[in-house]
Amino acid sequence: LLATAAVSRQCVADCQPRWYAPEKPDGPLKYNGHVMEPACFNQTSDDPRPHTVYIIGDWGGVMYSEWAEVMPADRRAKKFKKAHRVFIHGADDIAQQKVANQMKWHAAKDRVDYILNVGDNFYWGGIQASCSMEFGAEGVGKQQWTKIYEWMYNGETLKDKQWLGVLGNHDYGGWNFLSAWDQTIAYTWGGEGTSWRWFQPALYYKAGAIYEDFSIDYFFIDSNVFDALDPYQVPGHNICSSAHNPENKGCPKTGPYNIWQCKWWFIKIWKEQMTWIETELEKSVHTTDWQIVVTHFPPNWGVDHWAYLCEKYGIDVYIAGHVHNQQLWSPWGPVPYLDKFAHNPVGATAVVVSGGGGGITSEGVPSAEGWDNEYGFMKMQLAKDEIIIRHVSHGGQLREEIRVNKRLPQLTTTNPPTTVTATIALDMDMRRMDATRNASFPDEFV
Protein backbone atom coordinates (compact mmCIF):
# COMPACT_ATOMS: atom_id res chain seq x y z
CA LEU A 1 0.00 0.00 0.00
CA LEU A 2 2.88 2.37 0.77
CA ALA A 3 4.35 1.63 -2.66
CA THR A 4 0.96 2.28 -4.28
CA ALA A 5 0.62 5.60 -2.51
CA ALA A 6 4.10 6.70 -3.55
CA VAL A 7 3.51 5.76 -7.18
CA SER A 8 0.09 7.44 -7.11
CA ARG A 9 1.61 10.73 -5.97
CA GLN A 10 4.18 10.47 -8.74
CA CYS A 11 1.40 9.78 -11.26
CA VAL A 12 -0.15 13.18 -10.73
CA ALA A 13 2.77 14.69 -12.58
CA ASP A 14 4.22 11.89 -14.68
CA CYS A 15 1.41 9.63 -15.85
CA GLN A 16 -1.57 10.05 -18.15
CA PRO A 17 -5.03 8.40 -17.95
CA ARG A 18 -4.26 6.25 -20.98
CA TRP A 19 -2.24 3.19 -21.98
CA TYR A 20 0.29 3.51 -24.78
CA ALA A 21 1.32 0.55 -26.90
CA PRO A 22 5.01 -0.14 -27.50
CA GLU A 23 6.49 0.28 -30.97
CA LYS A 24 4.44 -1.37 -33.71
CA PRO A 25 5.72 -4.93 -34.31
CA ASP A 26 5.78 -6.89 -37.55
CA GLY A 27 3.30 -9.46 -36.25
CA PRO A 28 0.69 -10.13 -33.54
CA LEU A 29 2.71 -12.36 -31.18
CA LYS A 30 5.74 -10.21 -30.35
CA TYR A 31 4.24 -8.62 -27.26
CA ASN A 32 2.65 -11.72 -25.74
CA GLY A 33 3.22 -11.42 -22.00
CA HIS A 34 4.15 -7.74 -22.21
CA VAL A 35 3.66 -5.64 -19.07
CA MET A 36 2.33 -2.27 -20.19
CA GLU A 37 3.33 0.98 -18.57
CA PRO A 38 0.51 1.81 -16.12
CA ALA A 39 -2.12 4.47 -16.70
CA CYS A 40 -3.13 6.85 -13.91
CA PHE A 41 -6.62 7.94 -12.96
CA ASN A 42 -6.63 10.36 -10.04
CA GLN A 43 -9.59 11.66 -8.13
CA THR A 44 -9.80 15.44 -8.51
CA SER A 45 -11.64 17.95 -6.37
CA ASP A 46 -13.77 19.17 -9.28
CA ASP A 47 -15.21 15.71 -10.05
CA PRO A 48 -16.46 13.83 -6.98
CA ARG A 49 -18.06 11.01 -8.97
CA PRO A 50 -16.61 7.53 -8.35
CA HIS A 51 -14.33 5.95 -10.94
CA THR A 52 -16.27 3.61 -13.23
CA VAL A 53 -15.28 1.07 -15.88
CA TYR A 54 -17.68 -0.41 -18.44
CA ILE A 55 -17.59 -4.08 -19.48
CA ILE A 56 -18.95 -5.48 -22.75
CA GLY A 57 -18.58 -8.66 -24.77
CA ASP A 58 -19.92 -10.53 -27.80
CA TRP A 59 -20.94 -7.19 -29.23
CA GLY A 60 -20.14 -6.89 -32.96
CA GLY A 61 -23.08 -7.76 -35.20
CA VAL A 62 -23.32 -8.65 -38.88
CA MET A 63 -24.01 -6.72 -42.08
CA TYR A 64 -25.47 -8.78 -44.89
CA SER A 65 -24.70 -6.12 -47.51
CA GLU A 66 -22.76 -2.89 -47.75
CA TRP A 67 -25.92 -0.87 -47.18
CA ALA A 68 -27.61 -3.11 -44.62
CA GLU A 69 -28.14 -2.17 -41.00
CA VAL A 70 -26.00 -3.88 -38.39
CA MET A 71 -27.95 -6.62 -36.65
CA PRO A 72 -27.19 -9.55 -34.34
CA ALA A 73 -26.01 -12.82 -35.85
CA ASP A 74 -29.12 -15.00 -35.65
CA ARG A 75 -28.31 -18.02 -33.52
CA ARG A 76 -31.95 -18.55 -32.51
CA ALA A 77 -32.86 -19.61 -36.07
CA LYS A 78 -34.30 -23.09 -36.63
CA LYS A 79 -31.05 -24.53 -38.00
CA PHE A 80 -29.56 -24.12 -34.49
CA LYS A 81 -31.91 -26.65 -33.01
CA LYS A 82 -30.99 -26.38 -29.34
CA ALA A 83 -30.77 -22.57 -29.44
CA HIS A 84 -33.98 -22.02 -31.42
CA ARG A 85 -36.48 -19.67 -29.84
CA VAL A 86 -39.00 -17.00 -30.80
CA PHE A 87 -37.70 -13.76 -32.40
CA ILE A 88 -38.44 -10.59 -30.40
CA HIS A 89 -38.74 -7.45 -32.49
CA GLY A 90 -37.33 -4.42 -30.74
CA ALA A 91 -34.62 -6.54 -29.12
CA ASP A 92 -33.28 -9.31 -31.36
CA ASP A 93 -33.09 -7.07 -34.43
CA ILE A 94 -31.35 -4.04 -32.84
CA ALA A 95 -29.64 -5.43 -29.75
CA GLN A 96 -26.20 -3.94 -30.40
CA GLN A 97 -27.64 -0.50 -31.06
CA LYS A 98 -29.71 -0.62 -27.87
CA VAL A 99 -26.76 -1.63 -25.71
CA ALA A 100 -24.51 1.00 -27.32
CA ASN A 101 -27.13 3.70 -26.75
CA GLN A 102 -27.42 2.75 -23.09
CA MET A 103 -23.65 2.93 -22.72
CA LYS A 104 -23.67 6.45 -24.19
CA TRP A 105 -26.58 7.55 -22.01
CA HIS A 106 -25.02 6.22 -18.80
CA ALA A 107 -21.59 7.56 -19.71
CA ALA A 108 -23.07 11.07 -19.69
CA LYS A 109 -23.74 10.59 -15.98
CA ASP A 110 -20.84 8.34 -14.92
CA ARG A 111 -17.16 9.08 -14.66
CA VAL A 112 -16.01 6.42 -17.14
CA ASP A 113 -12.28 5.76 -17.24
CA TYR A 114 -12.12 3.00 -19.90
CA ILE A 115 -13.94 -0.03 -21.29
CA LEU A 116 -13.03 -3.71 -20.84
CA ASN A 117 -13.86 -5.86 -23.86
CA VAL A 118 -14.07 -9.65 -23.47
CA GLY A 119 -14.02 -10.54 -27.17
CA ASP A 120 -16.15 -11.91 -29.97
CA ASN A 121 -15.81 -8.52 -31.55
CA PHE A 122 -17.25 -9.29 -34.99
CA TYR A 123 -19.73 -12.04 -35.89
CA TRP A 124 -19.94 -14.50 -37.42
CA GLY A 125 -16.25 -14.99 -38.07
CA GLY A 126 -14.14 -11.99 -37.06
CA ILE A 127 -12.56 -9.53 -39.48
CA GLN A 128 -13.56 -10.59 -43.00
CA ALA A 129 -10.10 -11.19 -44.41
CA SER A 130 -7.44 -13.88 -44.18
CA CYS A 131 -4.85 -14.26 -41.45
CA SER A 132 -1.15 -13.64 -42.20
CA MET A 133 -1.65 -10.64 -44.46
CA GLU A 134 0.73 -7.74 -43.93
CA PHE A 135 0.35 -6.73 -40.27
CA GLY A 136 -1.82 -3.62 -40.24
CA ALA A 137 -2.52 -3.80 -43.99
CA GLU A 138 -4.41 -0.70 -45.12
CA GLY A 139 -8.17 -1.01 -45.42
CA VAL A 140 -8.54 -4.52 -43.99
CA GLY A 141 -11.94 -4.77 -42.31
CA LYS A 142 -12.63 -1.07 -42.87
CA GLN A 143 -16.40 -1.48 -43.18
CA GLN A 144 -16.60 -3.59 -40.02
CA TRP A 145 -14.38 -1.29 -38.00
CA THR A 146 -16.24 1.79 -39.15
CA LYS A 147 -19.88 0.76 -38.97
CA ILE A 148 -19.84 -1.88 -36.25
CA TYR A 149 -17.32 -0.28 -33.88
CA GLU A 150 -16.36 3.35 -34.56
CA TRP A 151 -19.79 4.67 -35.48
CA MET A 152 -21.65 2.44 -33.04
CA TYR A 153 -19.79 3.57 -29.91
CA ASN A 154 -19.33 7.22 -30.81
CA GLY A 155 -20.61 10.47 -29.32
CA GLU A 156 -19.16 12.87 -26.81
CA THR A 157 -19.45 10.49 -23.86
CA LEU A 158 -17.57 7.53 -25.36
CA LYS A 159 -15.40 8.91 -28.15
CA ASP A 160 -12.17 9.11 -26.13
CA LYS A 161 -12.58 6.04 -23.89
CA GLN A 162 -10.03 3.31 -24.49
CA TRP A 163 -11.17 -0.26 -25.11
CA LEU A 164 -8.83 -2.85 -23.60
CA GLY A 165 -9.59 -6.37 -24.70
CA VAL A 166 -8.97 -9.94 -25.76
CA LEU A 167 -9.99 -12.16 -28.65
CA GLY A 168 -12.96 -14.51 -28.55
CA ASN A 169 -13.35 -17.72 -30.53
CA HIS A 170 -15.36 -15.94 -33.24
CA ASP A 171 -12.50 -13.49 -33.78
CA TYR A 172 -10.39 -16.40 -35.02
CA GLY A 173 -13.19 -17.49 -37.32
CA GLY A 174 -15.68 -19.24 -35.02
CA TRP A 175 -15.55 -22.69 -36.59
CA ASN A 176 -12.18 -22.06 -38.24
CA PHE A 177 -8.95 -20.19 -37.46
CA LEU A 178 -8.43 -18.46 -40.81
CA SER A 179 -9.99 -15.04 -40.24
CA ALA A 180 -7.85 -11.92 -39.80
CA TRP A 181 -7.53 -12.20 -36.03
CA ASP A 182 -4.04 -10.74 -36.32
CA GLN A 183 -5.49 -7.55 -37.84
CA THR A 184 -7.67 -7.13 -34.75
CA ILE A 185 -4.46 -6.83 -32.77
CA ALA A 186 -2.90 -4.59 -35.45
CA TYR A 187 -5.73 -2.05 -35.07
CA THR A 188 -4.08 -1.08 -31.78
CA TRP A 189 -1.56 0.80 -33.94
CA GLY A 190 -4.24 2.47 -36.02
CA GLY A 191 -6.10 1.99 -39.25
CA GLU A 192 -8.19 3.93 -41.71
CA GLY A 193 -10.78 5.96 -39.78
CA THR A 194 -9.48 4.95 -36.35
CA SER A 195 -10.35 6.91 -33.22
CA TRP A 196 -7.27 5.45 -31.48
CA ARG A 197 -9.35 3.87 -28.71
CA TRP A 198 -8.70 0.22 -29.54
CA PHE A 199 -6.05 -1.42 -27.35
CA GLN A 200 -5.05 -5.04 -27.70
CA PRO A 201 -1.31 -5.23 -28.36
CA ALA A 202 -1.01 -9.01 -27.86
CA LEU A 203 -2.95 -12.20 -27.21
CA TYR A 204 -2.12 -11.86 -23.51
CA TYR A 205 -0.67 -8.96 -21.54
CA LYS A 206 -0.86 -7.03 -18.29
CA ALA A 207 -2.08 -3.47 -17.82
CA GLY A 208 -1.95 -1.59 -14.52
CA ALA A 209 -4.24 1.23 -13.44
CA ILE A 210 -3.15 3.52 -10.63
CA TYR A 211 -5.62 5.64 -8.68
CA GLU A 212 -5.15 8.15 -5.91
CA ASP A 213 -5.31 5.63 -3.06
CA PHE A 214 -5.47 2.20 -4.73
CA SER A 215 -4.19 0.30 -7.77
CA ILE A 216 -5.39 -2.48 -10.09
CA ASP A 217 -3.56 -5.04 -12.21
CA TYR A 218 -5.54 -6.37 -15.17
CA PHE A 219 -4.43 -9.69 -16.65
CA PHE A 220 -5.71 -10.16 -20.21
CA ILE A 221 -5.74 -13.85 -21.17
CA ASP A 222 -6.52 -15.77 -24.37
CA SER A 223 -8.71 -18.72 -23.32
CA ASN A 224 -9.71 -19.92 -26.80
CA VAL A 225 -7.90 -23.21 -26.21
CA PHE A 226 -11.28 -24.39 -24.94
CA ASP A 227 -12.69 -24.20 -28.45
CA ALA A 228 -9.60 -25.66 -30.15
CA LEU A 229 -10.37 -29.36 -30.35
CA ASP A 230 -9.25 -32.30 -32.45
CA PRO A 231 -10.16 -31.73 -36.14
CA TYR A 232 -13.00 -34.26 -36.27
CA GLN A 233 -14.74 -33.15 -33.08
CA VAL A 234 -17.72 -30.77 -32.73
CA PRO A 235 -17.62 -29.33 -36.28
CA GLY A 236 -20.05 -26.53 -35.45
CA HIS A 237 -18.08 -25.20 -32.46
CA ASN A 238 -14.42 -25.95 -33.01
CA ILE A 239 -11.79 -23.50 -34.23
CA CYS A 240 -9.69 -26.42 -35.52
CA SER A 241 -12.54 -28.22 -37.28
CA SER A 242 -11.68 -30.21 -40.42
CA ALA A 243 -15.21 -29.49 -41.66
CA HIS A 244 -14.50 -25.76 -42.03
CA ASN A 245 -10.70 -25.50 -42.36
CA PRO A 246 -9.06 -26.81 -45.56
CA GLU A 247 -6.66 -29.56 -44.53
CA ASN A 248 -3.45 -27.91 -45.72
CA LYS A 249 -4.34 -24.25 -45.20
CA GLY A 250 -3.32 -22.16 -42.22
CA CYS A 251 -1.77 -18.91 -41.03
CA PRO A 252 1.79 -19.21 -42.37
CA LYS A 253 3.29 -16.22 -40.57
CA THR A 254 2.00 -16.95 -37.07
CA GLY A 255 0.31 -20.33 -36.88
CA PRO A 256 -1.80 -22.30 -36.57
CA TYR A 257 -0.25 -23.77 -39.70
CA ASN A 258 -2.86 -26.47 -40.43
CA ILE A 259 -5.69 -28.35 -38.75
CA TRP A 260 -3.39 -31.01 -37.32
CA GLN A 261 -1.17 -28.49 -35.56
CA CYS A 262 -4.04 -26.14 -34.60
CA LYS A 263 -5.00 -27.66 -31.25
CA TRP A 264 -1.35 -27.82 -30.16
CA TRP A 265 -0.77 -24.19 -31.14
CA PHE A 266 -3.52 -23.10 -28.76
CA ILE A 267 -2.30 -25.45 -26.01
CA LYS A 268 1.20 -23.98 -26.31
CA ILE A 269 -0.17 -20.44 -26.01
CA TRP A 270 -2.24 -21.51 -22.98
CA LYS A 271 0.71 -23.10 -21.18
CA GLU A 272 2.91 -20.08 -21.84
CA GLN A 273 0.20 -17.85 -20.39
CA MET A 274 -0.29 -19.92 -17.27
CA THR A 275 3.43 -19.82 -16.48
CA TRP A 276 3.47 -16.09 -17.19
CA ILE A 277 0.38 -15.20 -15.14
CA GLU A 278 1.68 -17.02 -12.06
CA THR A 279 4.91 -15.05 -12.23
CA GLU A 280 3.04 -11.76 -12.62
CA LEU A 281 0.43 -12.55 -9.95
CA GLU A 282 3.22 -13.40 -7.51
CA LYS A 283 4.57 -9.87 -8.01
CA SER A 284 1.16 -8.22 -8.06
CA VAL A 285 -0.12 -9.49 -4.71
CA HIS A 286 2.76 -7.69 -2.97
CA THR A 287 2.43 -4.36 -4.79
CA THR A 288 -1.14 -3.89 -6.04
CA ASP A 289 -4.52 -3.72 -4.30
CA TRP A 290 -6.79 -5.46 -6.82
CA GLN A 291 -6.12 -8.35 -9.24
CA ILE A 292 -8.61 -8.75 -12.11
CA VAL A 293 -8.58 -11.31 -14.95
CA VAL A 294 -10.15 -10.40 -18.31
CA THR A 295 -10.71 -13.24 -20.79
CA HIS A 296 -13.35 -14.68 -23.12
CA PHE A 297 -14.42 -18.01 -21.59
CA PRO A 298 -16.02 -18.09 -18.11
CA PRO A 299 -14.07 -20.00 -15.43
CA ASN A 300 -16.17 -23.16 -15.69
CA TRP A 301 -14.02 -23.74 -18.77
CA GLY A 302 -10.69 -24.66 -17.18
CA VAL A 303 -12.24 -24.70 -13.73
CA ASP A 304 -9.42 -26.72 -12.14
CA HIS A 305 -6.75 -24.21 -13.00
CA TRP A 306 -8.81 -21.07 -12.41
CA ALA A 307 -9.92 -22.28 -8.99
CA TYR A 308 -6.26 -22.84 -8.10
CA LEU A 309 -5.12 -19.41 -9.36
CA CYS A 310 -8.02 -17.58 -7.72
CA GLU A 311 -7.39 -19.20 -4.36
CA LYS A 312 -3.60 -18.97 -4.34
CA TYR A 313 -3.28 -15.41 -5.57
CA GLY A 314 -6.56 -13.96 -4.36
CA ILE A 315 -7.88 -12.91 -7.77
CA ASP A 316 -10.67 -10.51 -6.89
CA VAL A 317 -12.75 -10.41 -10.09
CA TYR A 318 -12.87 -12.68 -13.16
CA ILE A 319 -14.43 -11.02 -16.23
CA ALA A 320 -15.59 -13.02 -19.26
CA GLY A 321 -18.24 -13.38 -21.97
CA HIS A 322 -18.87 -16.18 -24.50
CA VAL A 323 -22.24 -17.10 -22.99
CA HIS A 324 -24.75 -14.81 -24.68
CA ASN A 325 -26.40 -13.19 -21.72
CA GLN A 326 -25.49 -11.17 -18.62
CA GLN A 327 -24.58 -12.83 -15.32
CA LEU A 328 -23.05 -11.83 -11.98
CA TRP A 329 -21.70 -14.63 -9.78
CA SER A 330 -21.18 -13.38 -6.26
CA PRO A 331 -18.40 -14.88 -4.10
CA TRP A 332 -19.51 -18.36 -3.01
CA GLY A 333 -22.94 -17.57 -4.46
CA PRO A 334 -25.32 -19.77 -6.48
CA VAL A 335 -24.91 -20.06 -10.26
CA PRO A 336 -28.21 -21.40 -11.60
CA TYR A 337 -26.98 -21.14 -15.20
CA LEU A 338 -24.56 -23.99 -14.50
CA ASP A 339 -26.88 -26.12 -12.45
CA LYS A 340 -29.72 -25.48 -10.00
CA PHE A 341 -27.46 -26.70 -7.19
CA ALA A 342 -24.21 -25.11 -8.45
CA HIS A 343 -22.22 -22.46 -6.64
CA ASN A 344 -19.46 -20.18 -7.85
CA PRO A 345 -16.72 -22.62 -8.95
CA VAL A 346 -13.94 -20.14 -8.12
CA GLY A 347 -15.17 -19.57 -4.59
CA ALA A 348 -14.52 -16.10 -3.20
CA THR A 349 -13.69 -14.58 -6.60
CA ALA A 350 -16.56 -12.61 -8.13
CA VAL A 351 -17.34 -13.53 -11.74
CA VAL A 352 -18.76 -11.21 -14.39
CA VAL A 353 -20.19 -12.80 -17.56
CA SER A 354 -20.98 -10.06 -20.06
CA GLY A 355 -21.74 -11.87 -23.30
CA GLY A 356 -24.92 -9.94 -24.10
CA GLY A 357 -23.40 -7.06 -26.04
CA GLY A 358 -25.78 -7.64 -28.94
CA GLY A 359 -23.51 -9.08 -31.61
CA ILE A 360 -25.42 -12.36 -31.56
CA THR A 361 -28.91 -13.27 -30.41
CA SER A 362 -29.19 -14.11 -26.75
CA GLU A 363 -29.47 -17.50 -25.08
CA GLY A 364 -32.89 -16.77 -23.61
CA VAL A 365 -35.92 -14.79 -24.71
CA PRO A 366 -35.51 -11.04 -24.14
CA SER A 367 -38.25 -8.47 -23.76
CA ALA A 368 -38.43 -5.53 -26.13
CA GLU A 369 -38.49 -3.20 -23.13
CA GLY A 370 -35.35 -4.63 -21.53
CA TRP A 371 -36.73 -6.36 -18.46
CA ASP A 372 -34.32 -9.28 -18.84
CA ASN A 373 -30.69 -10.36 -18.38
CA GLU A 374 -30.12 -11.21 -22.03
CA TYR A 375 -28.59 -8.05 -23.55
CA GLY A 376 -26.68 -5.30 -21.80
CA PHE A 377 -23.36 -4.20 -20.35
CA MET A 378 -21.77 -4.03 -16.91
CA LYS A 379 -20.63 -1.05 -14.85
CA MET A 380 -17.78 -1.61 -12.39
CA GLN A 381 -17.43 1.12 -9.77
CA LEU A 382 -13.94 1.20 -8.29
CA ALA A 383 -12.70 2.17 -4.84
CA LYS A 384 -9.95 1.27 -2.40
CA ASP A 385 -11.92 -1.21 -0.28
CA GLU A 386 -14.87 -2.23 -2.45
CA ILE A 387 -15.81 -2.80 -6.08
CA ILE A 388 -19.49 -2.55 -7.03
CA ILE A 389 -20.60 -4.24 -10.25
CA ARG A 390 -23.99 -3.50 -11.81
CA HIS A 391 -25.75 -4.95 -14.83
CA VAL A 392 -27.49 -2.43 -17.10
CA SER A 393 -29.94 -4.00 -19.54
CA HIS A 394 -30.58 -2.94 -23.14
CA GLY A 395 -33.62 -1.05 -21.86
CA GLY A 396 -31.57 0.89 -19.28
CA GLN A 397 -32.80 -1.00 -16.23
CA LEU A 398 -30.35 -1.77 -13.43
CA ARG A 399 -30.95 -5.50 -13.18
CA GLU A 400 -28.39 -6.84 -10.69
CA GLU A 401 -25.65 -5.66 -8.37
CA ILE A 402 -22.87 -7.35 -6.41
CA ARG A 403 -20.30 -5.88 -4.04
CA VAL A 404 -16.79 -7.25 -3.94
CA ASN A 405 -14.24 -7.02 -1.14
CA LYS A 406 -10.59 -7.90 -1.55
CA ARG A 407 -9.81 -11.60 -1.60
CA LEU A 408 -6.66 -12.49 0.34
CA PRO A 409 -4.14 -14.80 -1.35
CA GLN A 410 -3.29 -18.25 -0.01
CA LEU A 411 0.24 -18.57 -1.36
CA THR A 412 0.76 -22.11 -0.05
CA THR A 413 -1.93 -23.56 -2.36
CA THR A 414 -0.47 -26.22 -4.67
CA ASN A 415 -0.85 -26.41 -8.44
CA PRO A 416 -3.13 -29.09 -9.98
CA PRO A 417 -1.50 -31.76 -12.18
CA THR A 418 -0.30 -30.58 -15.58
CA THR A 419 -0.27 -33.80 -17.60
CA VAL A 420 -3.85 -35.04 -17.24
CA THR A 421 -5.52 -35.67 -20.60
CA ALA A 422 -8.42 -33.30 -21.16
CA THR A 423 -11.97 -34.62 -21.07
CA ILE A 424 -14.33 -33.18 -23.68
CA ALA A 425 -18.09 -33.57 -23.84
CA LEU A 426 -19.45 -33.31 -27.36
CA ASP A 427 -22.78 -31.89 -26.22
CA MET A 428 -22.31 -28.16 -25.66
CA ASP A 429 -24.78 -28.16 -22.79
CA MET A 430 -22.57 -30.70 -21.02
CA ARG A 431 -19.42 -28.59 -21.41
CA ARG A 432 -20.43 -26.05 -18.81
CA MET A 433 -19.16 -27.58 -15.60
CA ASP A 434 -18.34 -31.15 -14.59
CA ALA A 435 -17.84 -32.43 -18.14
CA THR A 436 -16.06 -29.29 -19.28
CA ARG A 437 -12.58 -29.68 -20.66
CA ASN A 438 -10.27 -28.87 -17.77
CA ALA A 439 -7.10 -26.81 -18.04
CA SER A 440 -4.58 -29.64 -17.71
CA PHE A 441 -3.30 -30.60 -21.14
CA PRO A 442 -0.88 -33.30 -22.27
CA ASP A 443 2.65 -32.19 -23.16
CA GLU A 444 2.78 -34.18 -26.42
CA PHE A 445 3.65 -32.09 -29.48
CA VAL A 446 3.73 -28.83 -27.51
Side-chain angles (χ1 to χ4, degrees):
L1 292 177
L2 291 176
T4 298
V7 174
S8 297
R9 285 192 294 271
Q10 182 183 3
C11 275
V12 174
D14 299 343
C15 183
Q16 299 299 314
R18 189 175 183 85
W19 287 271
Y20 293 93
E23 182 181 3
K24 183 179 177 179
D26 58 4
L29 305 180
K30 179 177 180 178
Y31 293 121
N32 281 352
H34 194 78
V35 177
M36 303 296 157
E37 290 295 323
C40 298
F41 305 86
N42 295 290
Q43 184 77 35
T44 57
S45 58
D46 60 344
D47 192 347
R49 295 175 298 172
H51 290 279
T52 302
V53 175
Y54 286 178
I55 301 166
I56 188 171
D58 302 72
W59 51 268
V62 298
M63 297 175 59
Y64 290 107
S65 75
E66 183 178 355
W67 310 110
E69 292 293 325
V70 179
M71 62 186 303
D74 190 3
R75 189 173 176 268
R76 45 101 265 153
K78 288 184 178 180
K79 64 180 180 180
F80 300 101
K81 295 179 181 178
K82 290 193 174 183
H84 176 58
R85 60 167 176 78
V86 65
F87 187 89
I88 303 298
H89 291 278
D92 288 325
D93 49 344
I94 53 172
Q96 186 183 357
Q97 291 89 334
K98 293 186 72 176
V99 174
N101 287 338
Q102 288 302 327
M103 290 174 68
K104 286 183 268 192
W105 190 88
H106 280 262
K109 301 177 181 297
D110 296 332
R111 187 185 189 187
V112 183
D113 292 331
Y114 43 91
I115 296 165
L116 300 175
N117 164 33
V118 298
D120 276 3
N121 305 305
F122 299 103
Y123 283 92
W124 281 98
I127 294 294
Q128 294 171 355
S130 298
C131 57
S132 290
M133 298 173 64
E134 179 186 354
F135 191 65
E138 185 176 353
V140 176
K142 177 185 175 182
Q143 181 169 284
Q144 289 174 286
W145 283 116
T146 300
K147 296 184 178 181
I148 300 174
Y149 173 63
E150 298 287 3
W151 292 358
M152 189 72 68
Y153 305 97
N154 61 0
E156 290 299 314
T157 60
L158 291 181
K159 68 178 184 179
D160 61 345
K161 307 303 178 187
Q162 272 190 301
W163 286 51
L164 287 77
V166 296
L167 298 182
N169 55 302
H170 285 271
D171 297 311
Y172 285 96
W175 59 17
N176 65 52
F177 57 84
L178 300 174
S179 292
W181 57 269
D182 46 355
Q183 302 300 332
T184 305
I185 293 174
Y187 201 68
T188 300
W189 288 272
E192 189 174 352
T194 183
S195 57
W196 297 99
R197 293 177 289 168
W198 190 263
F199 192 88
Q200 191 195 340
L203 291 179
Y204 61 97
Y205 59 100
K206 174 183 168 184
I210 300 175
Y211 292 82
E212 189 172 60
D213 60 349
F214 66 95
S215 58
I216 304 172
D217 277 340
Y218 292 103
F219 300 87
F220 295 86
I221 296 292
D222 189 294
S223 52
N224 292 292
V225 67
F226 297 109
D227 236 25
L229 313 178
D230 288 320
Y232 296 119
Q233 291 184 299
V234 199
H237 218 295
N238 177 6
I239 294 172
C240 303
S241 167
S242 60
H244 304 287
N245 289 286
E247 183 173 358
N248 295 313
K249 189 175 181 180
C251 302
K253 292 183 179 180
T254 61
Y257 303 107
N258 54 58
I259 59 172
W260 309 110
Q261 188 260 350
C262 175
K263 166 184 169 180
W264 304 103
W265 188 88
F266 281 96
I267 290 176
K268 183 176 184 291
I269 294 287
W270 173 263
K271 288 197 168 191
E272 290 172 353
Q273 290 179 104
M274 292 302 102
T275 299
W276 169 82
I277 195 175
E278 284 218 59
T279 300
E280 294 301 326
L281 281 168
E282 181 75 41
K283 300 173 187 176
S284 180
V285 296
H286 298 294
T287 60
T288 308
D289 298 289
W290 298 97
Q291 287 75 40
I292 298 177
V293 167
V294 182
T295 190
H296 184 63
F297 281 76
N300 47 299
W301 276 270
V303 63
D304 57 338
H305 208 71
W306 287 124
Y308 155 72
L309 288 174
C310 288
E311 179 180 2
K312 182 170 184 177
Y313 298 104
I315 294 170
D316 299 292
V317 184
Y318 183 109
I319 299 172
H322 189 65
V323 179
H324 306 136
N325 57 28
Q326 301 291 102
Q327 303 177 43
L328 291 173
W329 305 356
S330 59
W332 302 111
V335 186
Y337 173 76
L338 298 179
D339 182 272
K340 64 181 179 180
F341 302 112
H343 285 73
N344 188 335
V346 289
T349 297
V351 176
V352 178
V353 179
S354 190
I360 188 169
T361 52
S362 59
E363 304 252 334
V365 179
S367 74
E369 296 77 21
W371 295 103
D372 58 77
N373 295 340
E374 300 303 324
Y375 300 118
F377 72 100
M378 301 288 186
K379 302 202 294 187
M380 187 164 66
Q381 181 178 312
L382 307 173
K384 179 180 180 180
D385 297 315
E386 183 181 58
I387 290 176
I388 305 173
I389 307 170
R390 299 181 175 97
H391 165 214
V392 180
S393 84
H394 57 108
Q397 297 89 336
L398 292 174
R399 296 285 296 164
E400 294 181 274
E401 173 184 304
I402 61 172
R403 294 172 179 256
V404 182
N405 300 115
K406 295 173 188 175
R407 180 175 186 178
L408 297 177
Q410 305 291 329
L411 296 177
T412 58
T413 302
T414 57
N415 200 342
T418 59
T419 56
V420 177
T421 301
T423 300
I424 304 168
L426 302 187
D427 188 325
M428 283 301 296
D429 290 336
M430 293 296 293
R431 291 174 61 193
R432 290 177 176 165
M433 188 66 177
D434 292 336
T436 293
R437 167 187 263 193
N438 64 32
S440 300
F441 299 107
D443 291 321
E444 185 182 7
F445 304 129
V446 177

